[in-house]
Amino acid sequence: MQDHFHTYLLHLADNALVLGHRNSEWCGHGPILEQDIALTNISLDLIGQARYFYQYAAQRKGAGVTEDSLAYLRNGNEFFNFLLLELPDDDWGFTILRQYVFSQFQHLLYQQLQNSTDQQVVAIAAKALKETAYHVRWSREWVIRLGNGTEESHNRILRSWEKIKDYTGEFFIPAPYETELINSGMAIDPGCIREQWVMEVSSVFEGATIPFHGSAWTQSGGKQGMHTEHLGYILAEMQFMQRAYPGLEW
Amino acid sequence: MEILTENKILSILASVTDPEIPVLTITDLGIVRDIKFDEIEECWEISITPTYSGCPAMDMISTQIRMTLFSNGISNFRIKQQLSPAWTTDWMSDSGKEKLKKYGIAPPNNPDFGIPDSPAACPNCGSSNTSLLSEFGSTACKSLYKCEDCLEPFDYFKCH
Ligand SMILES: [Zn+2]
């Protein structure tokens, strides 16, 4: 029998890990020191959240599964993160806008997960929610600043939205493994937070003078393990040491 | 031989400091949530809660708890991570806040979570004429401010 709840925990963890990894690429490259630090702090939070979900998944599985084996020894088609989060960084505007749309989603999701029938999911979501509130706040202010900044910053954030918008639909479509969990109350239906997400994002866009237009069509597949070529490069970098030197510690 | 009690263990743990803010102990921070004796396994269970999810100090703190208890001759214990209820700066002791201030870090002062640009009083001169420089500071728990009167920059321990 397939363990859908295990896959769901991996989905929640992989989202946080993959974006945490992408953001960590900015370490030492941020436009100014304070923002470099902000983004790496957000990475730490995300990787910490991923660890809680991996630890829980590993504890449920037993049989030698650990948080490290889940992070370092799975192949690309066993990762269940959103496609948006694995896309390479383009510029600061892209990084900021991706962070904002995802943090806004995550904030609503973690709020809803307080109603899960699984107590550990409730505990992790409650913990993560507090940090995510800071991520939303920080990225939102940057979206507004870039949108209202120079012609250059405005155009770049517009260009970023053109790339990002086709990937946000995936947030709200339940994967087959979620449907059953939604019915039993362990997971929440991501479709039910779409309306509020659109409301929040469009109001921030209005403040940033960026036209908000959604897309009826969406890229999808990440939640089911079908990825872009970019995830492979992330995993190659992240997993190399454990693959080459199994069990290495430092 | 002295009989171990929860209070005795708590007082030992009160000597373990935060590796990043060494003036604060883990009991000042409210990290130690529970100490109880498991009669069946004859083992003390010490529950600690993480401050921020990705805070690298947490692993260090666990190690220090181990070292401190061992050096006090206690070895029948295990450390349990407890996530719920989620850690909050409301659990920071008043003496902890006072120590932070003396150390040059403005203590968390706003009961309404999430408003880090409300002015934090300058720990150097006490002025409330301060401005936010960066929401994220040198560690996950701090923001960076500047005092407009004495012109010193300072860290503010965020409400959480
Ligand atoms: Zn001052």
mmCIF file of all heavy atoms in Angstrom, chain A residues 34 37-38 41-42 44-45 48-49 51-52 55 120 123-124 126-127 130-131 133-135 137-138 141, chain B residues 50-54 59 81 83-84 86-88 113-114 116-117 134-137 139-140 158-160:
data_model
loop_
_atom_site.group_PDB
_atom_site.id
_atom_site.type_symbol
_atom_site.label_atom_id
_atom_site.label_comp_id
_atom_site.label_asym_id
_atom_site.label_seq_id
_atom_site.Cartn_x
_atom_site.Cartn_y
_atom_site.Cartn_z
ATOM 1 N N GLU A 34 22.833 43.880 4.102
ATOM 2 C CA GLU A 34 21.630 43.599 4.900
ATOM 3 C C GLU A 34 20.690 42.637 4.174
ATOM 4 O O GLU A 34 20.056 41.789 4.789
ATOM 5 C CB GLU A 34 20.867 44.896 5.222
ATOM 6 C CG GLU A 34 21.491 45.742 6.309
ATOM 7 C CD GLU A 34 22.704 46.526 5.813
ATOM 8 O OE1 GLU A 34 22.989 46.514 4.588
ATOM 9 O OE2 GLU A 34 23.380 47.140 6.658
ATOM 10 N N ILE A 37 22.012 39.117 4.081
ATOM 11 C CA ILE A 37 21.749 38.479 5.377
ATOM 12 C C ILE A 37 20.279 38.091 5.506
ATOM 13 O O ILE A 37 19.949 37.013 5.997
ATOM 14 C CB ILE A 37 22.181 39.423 6.526
ATOM 15 C CG1 ILE A 37 23.708 39.520 6.553
ATOM 16 C CG2 ILE A 37 21.643 38.958 7.857
ATOM 17 C CD1 ILE A 37 24.237 40.593 7.482
ATOM 18 N N ALA A 38 19.393 38.968 5.032
ATOM 19 C CA ALA A 38 17.961 38.670 5.118
ATOM 20 C C ALA A 38 17.649 37.380 4.361
ATOM 21 O O ALA A 38 16.982 36.481 4.876
ATOM 22 C CB ALA A 38 17.143 39.830 4.547
ATOM 23 N N ASN A 41 19.035 34.327 6.047
ATOM 24 C CA ASN A 41 18.227 33.997 7.226
ATOM 25 C C ASN A 41 16.944 33.273 6.826
ATOM 26 O O ASN A 41 16.517 32.322 7.488
ATOM 27 C CB ASN A 41 17.844 35.278 7.988
ATOM 28 C CG ASN A 41 18.812 35.585 9.115
ATOM 29 O OD1 ASN A 41 19.047 34.746 9.965
ATOM 30 N ND2 ASN A 41 19.379 36.769 9.126
ATOM 31 N N ILE A 42 16.345 33.735 5.737
ATOM 32 C CA ILE A 42 15.122 33.087 5.245
ATOM 33 C C ILE A 42 15.454 31.659 4.798
ATOM 34 O O ILE A 42 14.691 30.722 5.058
ATOM 35 C CB ILE A 42 14.480 33.933 4.122
ATOM 36 C CG1 ILE A 42 13.921 35.229 4.719
ATOM 37 C CG2 ILE A 42 13.381 33.160 3.390
ATOM 38 C CD1 ILE A 42 13.422 36.245 3.709
ATOM 39 N N LEU A 44 17.737 29.752 6.031
ATOM 40 C CA LEU A 44 17.892 28.954 7.253
ATOM 41 C C LEU A 44 16.534 28.536 7.803
ATOM 42 O O LEU A 44 16.339 27.384 8.193
ATOM 43 C CB LEU A 44 18.647 29.748 8.322
ATOM 44 C CG LEU A 44 20.161 29.720 8.272
ATOM 45 C CD1 LEU A 44 20.730 30.620 9.369
ATOM 46 C CD2 LEU A 44 20.682 28.299 8.469
ATOM 47 N N ASP A 45 15.609 29.483 7.844
ATOM 48 C CA ASP A 45 14.263 29.156 8.322
ATOM 49 C C ASP A 45 13.662 28.041 7.475
ATOM 50 O O ASP A 45 13.078 27.084 7.999
ATOM 51 C CB ASP A 45 13.332 30.375 8.229
ATOM 52 C CG ASP A 45 13.613 31.440 9.293
ATOM 53 O OD1 ASP A 45 14.277 31.128 10.289
ATOM 54 O OD2 ASP A 45 13.148 32.590 9.116
ATOM 55 N N GLY A 48 15.275 24.752 8.023
ATOM 56 C CA GLY A 48 14.829 24.275 9.341
ATOM 57 C C GLY A 48 13.428 23.670 9.267
ATOM 58 O O GLY A 48 13.157 22.618 9.856
ATOM 59 N N GLN A 49 12.545 24.325 8.515
ATOM 60 C CA GLN A 49 11.178 23.790 8.359
ATOM 61 C C GLN A 49 11.225 22.450 7.621
ATOM 62 O O GLN A 49 10.518 21.508 7.987
ATOM 63 C CB GLN A 49 10.307 24.782 7.583
ATOM 64 C CG GLN A 49 10.049 26.074 8.350
ATOM 65 C CD GLN A 49 9.382 27.155 7.512
ATOM 66 O OE1 GLN A 49 8.883 26.886 6.412
ATOM 67 N NE2 GLN A 49 9.357 28.371 8.015
ATOM 68 N N ARG A 51 13.589 20.354 7.646
ATOM 69 C CA ARG A 51 14.098 19.333 8.565
ATOM 70 C C ARG A 51 12.995 18.768 9.454
ATOM 71 O O ARG A 51 12.950 17.564 9.701
ATOM 72 C CB ARG A 51 15.232 19.902 9.436
ATOM 73 C CG ARG A 51 16.505 20.137 8.650
ATOM 74 C CD ARG A 51 17.636 20.531 9.580
ATOM 75 N NE ARG A 51 17.936 19.471 10.550
ATOM 76 C CZ ARG A 51 18.753 19.633 11.592
ATOM 77 N NH1 ARG A 51 19.342 20.785 11.807
ATOM 78 N NH2 ARG A 51 18.986 18.632 12.418
ATOM 79 N N TYR A 52 12.112 19.635 9.968
ATOM 80 C CA TYR A 52 11.023 19.121 10.819
ATOM 81 C C TYR A 52 10.190 18.091 10.061
ATOM 82 O O TYR A 52 9.822 17.049 10.599
ATOM 83 C CB TYR A 52 10.078 20.240 11.266
ATOM 84 C CG TYR A 52 10.666 21.273 12.188
ATOM 85 C CD1 TYR A 52 10.223 22.591 12.135
ATOM 86 C CD2 TYR A 52 11.634 20.942 13.133
ATOM 87 C CE1 TYR A 52 10.727 23.562 12.990
ATOM 88 C CE2 TYR A 52 12.135 21.902 13.984
ATOM 89 C CZ TYR A 52 11.681 23.213 13.908
ATOM 90 O OH TYR A 52 12.172 24.156 14.748
ATOM 91 N N GLN A 55 12.283 14.947 9.429
ATOM 92 C CA GLN A 55 12.462 14.199 10.681
ATOM 93 C C GLN A 55 11.190 13.423 11.016
ATOM 94 O O GLN A 55 11.242 12.259 11.419
ATOM 95 C CB GLN A 55 12.796 15.150 11.837
ATOM 96 C CG GLN A 55 14.233 15.635 11.824
ATOM 97 C CD GLN A 55 14.455 16.874 12.700
ATOM 98 O OE1 GLN A 55 13.531 17.376 13.336
ATOM 99 N NE2 GLN A 55 15.680 17.383 12.725
ATOM 100 N N GLN A 120 1.372 16.456 14.834
ATOM 101 C CA GLN A 120 2.732 16.910 14.543
ATOM 102 C C GLN A 120 2.735 17.910 13.366
ATOM 103 O O GLN A 120 3.493 18.868 13.375
ATOM 104 C CB GLN A 120 3.656 15.713 14.263
ATOM 105 C CG GLN A 120 5.130 16.060 14.069
ATOM 106 C CD GLN A 120 5.792 16.620 15.324
ATOM 107 O OE1 GLN A 120 5.196 16.715 16.394
ATOM 108 N NE2 GLN A 120 7.052 17.040 15.196
ATOM 109 N N ALA A 123 1.776 21.126 14.845
ATOM 110 C CA ALA A 123 2.877 21.739 15.610
ATOM 111 C C ALA A 123 3.912 22.371 14.682
ATOM 112 O O ALA A 123 4.375 23.492 14.920
ATOM 113 C CB ALA A 123 3.540 20.681 16.497
ATOM 114 N N ILE A 124 4.272 21.660 13.611
ATOM 115 C CA ILE A 124 5.275 22.202 12.680
ATOM 116 C C ILE A 124 4.719 23.449 11.992
ATOM 117 O O ILE A 124 5.401 24.468 11.880
ATOM 118 C CB ILE A 124 5.699 21.142 11.625
ATOM 119 C CG1 ILE A 124 6.373 19.941 12.302
ATOM 120 C CG2 ILE A 124 6.640 21.763 10.591
ATOM 121 C CD1 ILE A 124 6.640 18.751 11.373
ATOM 122 N N ALA A 126 2.450 25.510 13.038
ATOM 123 C CA ALA A 126 2.329 26.642 13.973
ATOM 124 C C ALA A 126 3.677 27.298 14.186
ATOM 125 O O ALA A 126 3.799 28.530 14.254
ATOM 126 C CB ALA A 126 1.766 26.150 15.315
ATOM 127 N N LYS A 127 4.695 26.475 14.269
ATOM 128 C CA LYS A 127 6.058 26.967 14.461
ATOM 129 C C LYS A 127 6.507 27.758 13.221
ATOM 130 O O LYS A 127 7.027 28.861 13.318
ATOM 131 C CB LYS A 127 6.962 25.742 14.670
ATOM 132 C CG LYS A 127 8.417 26.005 14.824
ATOM 133 C CD LYS A 127 8.730 26.358 16.240
ATOM 134 C CE LYS A 127 10.114 26.958 16.380
ATOM 135 N NZ LYS A 127 10.168 27.950 17.430
ATOM 136 N N LYS A 130 5.076 31.465 12.189
ATOM 137 C CA LYS A 130 5.622 32.693 12.780
ATOM 138 C C LYS A 130 6.766 33.237 11.944
ATOM 139 O O LYS A 130 6.904 34.442 11.760
ATOM 140 C CB LYS A 130 6.143 32.393 14.179
ATOM 141 C CG LYS A 130 5.069 32.071 15.176
ATOM 142 C CD LYS A 130 5.710 31.782 16.514
ATOM 143 C CE LYS A 130 4.844 32.258 17.656
ATOM 144 N NZ LYS A 130 5.628 32.471 18.867
ATOM 145 N N GLU A 131 7.610 32.333 11.465
ATOM 146 C CA GLU A 131 8.746 32.767 10.651
ATOM 147 C C GLU A 131 8.271 33.236 9.286
ATOM 148 O O GLU A 131 8.763 34.222 8.740
ATOM 149 C CB GLU A 131 9.723 31.598 10.462
ATOM 150 C CG GLU A 131 10.344 31.151 11.757
ATOM 151 C CD GLU A 131 10.690 29.678 11.795
ATOM 152 O OE1 GLU A 131 10.510 28.974 10.774
ATOM 153 O OE2 GLU A 131 11.129 29.221 12.856
ATOM 154 N N ALA A 133 5.586 34.637 8.519
ATOM 155 C CA ALA A 133 5.017 35.987 8.588
ATOM 156 C C ALA A 133 6.102 37.027 8.300
ATOM 157 O O ALA A 133 5.859 38.030 7.619
ATOM 158 C CB ALA A 133 4.390 36.223 9.961
ATOM 159 N N TYR A 134 7.312 36.781 8.802
ATOM 160 C CA TYR A 134 8.423 37.702 8.528
ATOM 161 C C TYR A 134 8.858 37.624 7.068
ATOM 162 O O TYR A 134 9.243 38.637 6.485
ATOM 163 C CB TYR A 134 9.621 37.384 9.437
ATOM 164 C CG TYR A 134 9.513 38.016 10.806
ATOM 165 C CD1 TYR A 134 9.264 37.246 11.934
ATOM 166 C CD2 TYR A 134 9.653 39.396 10.972
ATOM 167 C CE1 TYR A 134 9.158 37.816 13.193
ATOM 168 C CE2 TYR A 134 9.545 39.975 12.224
ATOM 169 C CZ TYR A 134 9.305 39.187 13.336
ATOM 170 O OH TYR A 134 9.193 39.756 14.569
ATOM 171 N N HIS A 135 8.805 36.435 6.482
ATOM 172 C CA HIS A 135 9.204 36.297 5.069
ATOM 173 C C HIS A 135 8.238 37.061 4.167
ATOM 174 O O HIS A 135 8.656 37.729 3.228
ATOM 175 C CB HIS A 135 9.218 34.828 4.634
ATOM 176 C CG HIS A 135 10.059 33.933 5.497
ATOM 177 N ND1 HIS A 135 10.041 32.564 5.385
ATOM 178 C CD2 HIS A 135 10.940 34.204 6.492
ATOM 179 C CE1 HIS A 135 10.871 32.035 6.265
ATOM 180 N NE2 HIS A 135 11.421 33.013 6.962
ATOM 181 N N ARG A 137 6.376 39.593 4.993
ATOM 182 C CA ARG A 137 6.518 41.010 5.229
ATOM 183 C C ARG A 137 7.726 41.584 4.492
ATOM 184 O O ARG A 137 7.650 42.609 3.821
ATOM 185 C CB ARG A 137 6.686 41.210 6.742
ATOM 186 C CG ARG A 137 6.616 42.609 7.191
ATOM 187 C CD ARG A 137 7.086 42.667 8.636
ATOM 188 N NE ARG A 137 7.825 43.888 8.804
ATOM 189 C CZ ARG A 137 7.260 45.006 9.218
ATOM 190 N NH1 ARG A 137 6.000 45.048 9.539
ATOM 191 N NH2 ARG A 137 7.986 46.095 9.306
ATOM 192 N N TRP A 138 8.843 40.888 4.584
ATOM 193 C CA TRP A 138 10.079 41.374 3.973
ATOM 194 C C TRP A 138 9.975 41.366 2.449
ATOM 195 O O TRP A 138 10.293 42.351 1.784
ATOM 196 C CB TRP A 138 11.250 40.492 4.432
ATOM 197 C CG TRP A 138 12.553 40.798 3.780
ATOM 198 C CD1 TRP A 138 13.446 41.779 4.139
ATOM 199 C CD2 TRP A 138 13.137 40.124 2.654
ATOM 200 N NE1 TRP A 138 14.535 41.746 3.304
ATOM 201 C CE2 TRP A 138 14.374 40.752 2.386
ATOM 202 C CE3 TRP A 138 12.729 39.058 1.848
ATOM 203 C CZ2 TRP A 138 15.207 40.341 1.342
ATOM 204 C CZ3 TRP A 138 13.547 38.652 0.813
ATOM 205 C CH2 TRP A 138 14.778 39.289 0.568
ATOM 206 N N GLU A 141 7.451 43.997 0.999
ATOM 207 C CA GLU A 141 7.975 45.369 0.969
ATOM 208 C C GLU A 141 8.926 45.558 -0.205
ATOM 209 O O GLU A 141 8.962 46.614 -0.828
ATOM 210 C CB GLU A 141 8.687 45.713 2.283
ATOM 211 C CG GLU A 141 7.778 45.718 3.509
ATOM 212 C CD GLU A 141 6.532 46.569 3.319
ATOM 213 O OE1 GLU A 141 6.665 47.747 2.945
ATOM 214 O OE2 GLU A 141 5.417 46.036 3.524
ATOM 215 N N PRO B 50 12.899 24.576 20.040
ATOM 216 C CA PRO B 50 13.754 25.458 19.247
ATOM 217 C C PRO B 50 13.194 26.888 19.213
ATOM 218 O O PRO B 50 11.982 27.074 19.297
ATOM 219 C CB PRO B 50 13.731 24.827 17.855
ATOM 220 C CG PRO B 50 12.501 23.994 17.805
ATOM 221 C CD PRO B 50 12.177 23.607 19.208
ATOM 222 N N THR B 51 14.095 27.844 19.101
ATOM 223 C CA THR B 51 13.649 29.237 18.971
ATOM 224 C C THR B 51 13.179 29.458 17.542
ATOM 225 O O THR B 51 11.999 29.494 17.270
ATOM 226 C CB THR B 51 14.792 30.197 19.339
ATOM 227 O OG1 THR B 51 15.945 29.834 18.582
ATOM 228 C CG2 THR B 51 15.092 30.128 20.810
ATOM 229 N N TYR B 52 14.131 29.527 16.612
ATOM 230 C CA TYR B 52 13.791 29.610 15.188
ATOM 231 C C TYR B 52 14.119 28.257 14.551
ATOM 232 O O TYR B 52 15.098 27.615 14.937
ATOM 233 C CB TYR B 52 14.602 30.719 14.502
ATOM 234 C CG TYR B 52 14.045 32.098 14.766
ATOM 235 C CD1 TYR B 52 14.214 32.711 16.003
ATOM 236 C CD2 TYR B 52 13.321 32.774 13.790
ATOM 237 C CE1 TYR B 52 13.687 33.965 16.263
ATOM 238 C CE2 TYR B 52 12.795 34.022 14.034
ATOM 239 C CZ TYR B 52 12.977 34.620 15.273
ATOM 240 O OH TYR B 52 12.448 35.848 15.524
ATOM 241 N N SER B 53 13.321 27.864 13.541
ATOM 242 C CA SER B 53 13.484 26.538 12.932
ATOM 243 C C SER B 53 14.898 26.270 12.457
ATOM 244 O O SER B 53 15.415 25.182 12.613
ATOM 245 C CB SER B 53 12.527 26.378 11.746
ATOM 246 O OG SER B 53 11.213 26.507 12.180
ATOM 247 N N GLY B 54 15.503 27.283 11.831
ATOM 248 C CA GLY B 54 16.818 27.023 11.244
ATOM 249 C C GLY B 54 17.957 27.523 12.101
ATOM 250 O O GLY B 54 19.084 27.625 11.631
ATOM 251 N N ASP B 59 21.564 22.969 17.802
ATOM 252 C CA ASP B 59 22.368 21.749 17.927
ATOM 253 C C ASP B 59 23.456 21.935 18.973
ATOM 254 O O ASP B 59 23.758 21.049 19.764
ATOM 255 C CB ASP B 59 23.012 21.384 16.577
ATOM 256 C CG ASP B 59 21.976 20.839 15.596
ATOM 257 O OD1 ASP B 59 20.911 20.367 16.063
ATOM 258 O OD2 ASP B 59 22.217 20.898 14.376
ATOM 259 N N GLN B 81 13.046 16.987 21.620
ATOM 260 C CA GLN B 81 12.660 18.256 20.991
ATOM 261 C C GLN B 81 11.149 18.373 20.995
ATOM 262 O O GLN B 81 10.448 17.486 20.549
ATOM 263 C CB GLN B 81 13.171 18.308 19.552
ATOM 264 C CG GLN B 81 12.743 19.577 18.822
ATOM 265 C CD GLN B 81 13.244 19.645 17.387
ATOM 266 O OE1 GLN B 81 14.202 20.313 17.072
ATOM 267 N NE2 GLN B 81 12.578 18.935 16.500
ATOM 268 N N LEU B 83 7.973 20.782 19.796
ATOM 269 C CA LEU B 83 7.651 21.919 18.928
ATOM 270 C C LEU B 83 6.442 22.714 19.408
ATOM 271 O O LEU B 83 6.307 23.896 19.124
ATOM 272 C CB LEU B 83 7.375 21.441 17.501
ATOM 273 C CG LEU B 83 8.556 20.872 16.719
ATOM 274 C CD1 LEU B 83 8.117 20.517 15.314
ATOM 275 C CD2 LEU B 83 9.691 21.877 16.670
ATOM 276 N N SER B 84 5.547 22.016 20.108
ATOM 277 C CA SER B 84 4.303 22.675 20.471
ATOM 278 C C SER B 84 4.185 22.791 21.987
ATOM 279 O O SER B 84 4.456 21.816 22.692
ATOM 280 C CB SER B 84 3.121 21.859 19.919
ATOM 281 O OG SER B 84 1.913 22.488 20.235
ATOM 282 N N ALA B 86 4.589 26.561 20.178
ATOM 283 C CA ALA B 86 5.741 27.171 19.533
ATOM 284 C C ALA B 86 6.371 28.234 20.433
ATOM 285 O O ALA B 86 5.667 28.988 21.108
ATOM 286 C CB ALA B 86 5.314 27.793 18.205
ATOM 287 N N TRP B 87 7.681 28.249 20.426
ATOM 288 C CA TRP B 87 8.431 29.186 21.257
ATOM 289 C C TRP B 87 8.014 30.635 20.979
ATOM 290 O O TRP B 87 7.731 30.998 19.839
ATOM 291 C CB TRP B 87 9.934 29.026 20.970
ATOM 292 C CG TRP B 87 10.801 29.955 21.764
ATOM 293 C CD1 TRP B 87 11.182 29.817 23.063
ATOM 294 C CD2 TRP B 87 11.416 31.165 21.308
ATOM 295 N NE1 TRP B 87 11.990 30.860 23.448
ATOM 296 C CE2 TRP B 87 12.146 31.707 22.381
ATOM 297 C CE3 TRP B 87 11.407 31.854 20.086
ATOM 298 C CZ2 TRP B 87 12.874 32.903 22.285
ATOM 299 C CZ3 TRP B 87 12.126 33.036 19.984
ATOM 300 C CH2 TRP B 87 12.850 33.556 21.077
ATOM 301 N N THR B 88 7.979 31.418 22.023
ATOM 302 C CA THR B 88 7.656 32.830 21.881
ATOM 303 C C THR B 88 8.563 33.643 22.796
ATOM 304 O O THR B 88 8.991 33.160 23.855
ATOM 305 C CB THR B 88 6.164 33.107 22.224
ATOM 306 O OG1 THR B 88 6.001 34.504 22.466
ATOM 307 C CG2 THR B 88 5.711 32.334 23.457
ATOM 308 N N PHE B 113 2.920 40.829 18.133
ATOM 309 C CA PHE B 113 3.922 40.236 17.259
ATOM 310 C C PHE B 113 3.832 40.832 15.856
ATOM 311 O O PHE B 113 2.776 41.133 15.359
ATOM 312 C CB PHE B 113 3.697 38.724 17.179
ATOM 313 C CG PHE B 113 4.289 38.102 15.955
ATOM 314 C CD1 PHE B 113 5.648 37.922 15.883
ATOM 315 C CD2 PHE B 113 3.494 37.771 14.875
ATOM 316 C CE1 PHE B 113 6.215 37.363 14.748
ATOM 317 C CE2 PHE B 113 4.052 37.217 13.744
ATOM 318 C CZ PHE B 113 5.418 37.015 13.678
ATOM 319 N N GLY B 114 4.980 40.967 15.229
ATOM 320 C CA GLY B 114 4.986 41.273 13.803
ATOM 321 C C GLY B 114 5.071 42.744 13.454
ATOM 322 O O GLY B 114 4.795 43.116 12.329
ATOM 323 N N PRO B 116 7.978 44.921 13.680
ATOM 324 C CA PRO B 116 9.340 45.221 14.077
ATOM 325 C C PRO B 116 9.770 46.658 13.802
ATOM 326 O O PRO B 116 10.809 47.070 14.270
ATOM 327 C CB PRO B 116 10.187 44.225 13.274
ATOM 328 C CG PRO B 116 9.340 43.823 12.140
ATOM 329 C CD PRO B 116 7.918 43.997 12.550
ATOM 330 N N ASP B 117 8.962 47.448 13.059
ATOM 331 C CA ASP B 117 9.421 48.823 12.873
ATOM 332 C C ASP B 117 8.856 49.781 13.919
ATOM 333 O O ASP B 117 9.046 50.970 13.849
ATOM 334 C CB ASP B 117 9.176 49.322 11.453
ATOM 335 C CG ASP B 117 7.730 49.224 11.033
ATOM 336 O OD1 ASP B 117 6.905 48.818 11.868
ATOM 337 O OD2 ASP B 117 7.419 49.554 9.893
ATOM 338 N N SER B 134 17.404 47.198 9.160
ATOM 339 C CA SER B 134 17.194 45.937 8.457
ATOM 340 C C SER B 134 16.368 44.992 9.311
ATOM 341 O O SER B 134 16.639 44.825 10.499
ATOM 342 C CB SER B 134 18.551 45.298 8.137
ATOM 343 O OG SER B 134 18.345 44.053 7.523
ATOM 344 N N GLU B 135 15.356 44.388 8.698
ATOM 345 C CA GLU B 135 14.485 43.487 9.457
ATOM 346 C C GLU B 135 15.203 42.221 9.889
ATOM 347 O O GLU B 135 14.793 41.553 10.815
ATOM 348 C CB GLU B 135 13.289 43.090 8.599
ATOM 349 C CG GLU B 135 12.251 44.169 8.493
ATOM 350 C CD GLU B 135 11.121 43.738 7.584
ATOM 351 O OE1 GLU B 135 10.540 42.666 7.821
ATOM 352 O OE2 GLU B 135 10.838 44.469 6.629
ATOM 353 N N PHE B 136 16.239 41.844 9.130
ATOM 354 C CA PHE B 136 16.996 40.640 9.482
ATOM 355 C C PHE B 136 18.392 41.067 9.913
ATOM 356 O O PHE B 136 19.054 41.823 9.212
ATOM 357 C CB PHE B 136 17.068 39.682 8.294
ATOM 358 C CG PHE B 136 15.745 39.045 7.979
ATOM 359 C CD1 PHE B 136 14.835 39.691 7.157
ATOM 360 C CD2 PHE B 136 15.401 37.820 8.519
ATOM 361 C CE1 PHE B 136 13.603 39.107 6.863
ATOM 362 C CE2 PHE B 136 14.175 37.237 8.232
ATOM 363 C CZ PHE B 136 13.273 37.878 7.402
ATOM 364 N N GLY B 137 18.828 40.600 11.044
ATOM 365 C CA GLY B 137 20.127 41.008 11.563
ATOM 366 C C GLY B 137 21.129 39.872 11.534
ATOM 367 O O GLY B 137 21.015 38.933 10.741
ATOM 368 N N THR B 139 21.675 37.427 13.467
ATOM 369 C CA THR B 139 21.136 36.081 13.715
ATOM 370 C C THR B 139 19.629 36.136 13.460
ATOM 371 O O THR B 139 19.053 37.224 13.380
ATOM 372 C CB THR B 139 21.356 35.616 15.168
ATOM 373 O OG1 THR B 139 20.675 36.521 16.035
ATOM 374 C CG2 THR B 139 22.831 35.577 15.535
ATOM 375 N N ALA B 140 19.017 34.968 13.353
ATOM 376 C CA ALA B 140 17.593 34.888 13.001
ATOM 377 C C ALA B 140 16.709 35.687 13.954
ATOM 378 O O ALA B 140 15.668 36.196 13.561
ATOM 379 C CB ALA B 140 17.156 33.427 12.990
ATOM 380 N N LYS B 158 13.845 40.470 18.148
ATOM 381 C CA LYS B 158 12.482 40.568 17.614
ATOM 382 C C LYS B 158 11.449 39.836 18.479
ATOM 383 O O LYS B 158 11.742 38.788 19.037
ATOM 384 C CB LYS B 158 12.407 39.912 16.223
ATOM 385 C CG LYS B 158 13.100 40.659 15.156
ATOM 386 C CD LYS B 158 12.813 40.042 13.806
ATOM 387 C CE LYS B 158 13.808 38.970 13.445
ATOM 388 N NZ LYS B 158 13.840 38.660 12.002
ATOM 389 N N CYS B 159 10.245 40.374 18.496
ATOM 390 C CA CYS B 159 9.149 39.635 19.120
ATOM 391 C C CYS B 159 8.826 38.440 18.236
ATOM 392 O O CYS B 159 8.827 38.525 17.024
ATOM 393 C CB CYS B 159 7.920 40.527 19.228
ATOM 394 S SG CYS B 159 8.102 41.759 20.505
ATOM 395 N N HIS B 160 8.529 37.348 18.885
ATOM 396 C CA HIS B 160 8.266 36.157 18.087
ATOM 397 C C HIS B 160 7.189 35.327 18.748
ATOM 398 O O HIS B 160 7.105 35.279 19.943
ATOM 399 C CB HIS B 160 9.572 35.346 17.952
ATOM 400 C CG HIS B 160 9.521 34.331 16.848
ATOM 401 N ND1 HIS B 160 9.477 34.679 15.525
ATOM 402 C CD2 HIS B 160 9.513 32.987 16.886
ATOM 403 C CE1 HIS B 160 9.448 33.573 14.788
ATOM 404 N NE2 HIS B 160 9.455 32.546 15.569
#
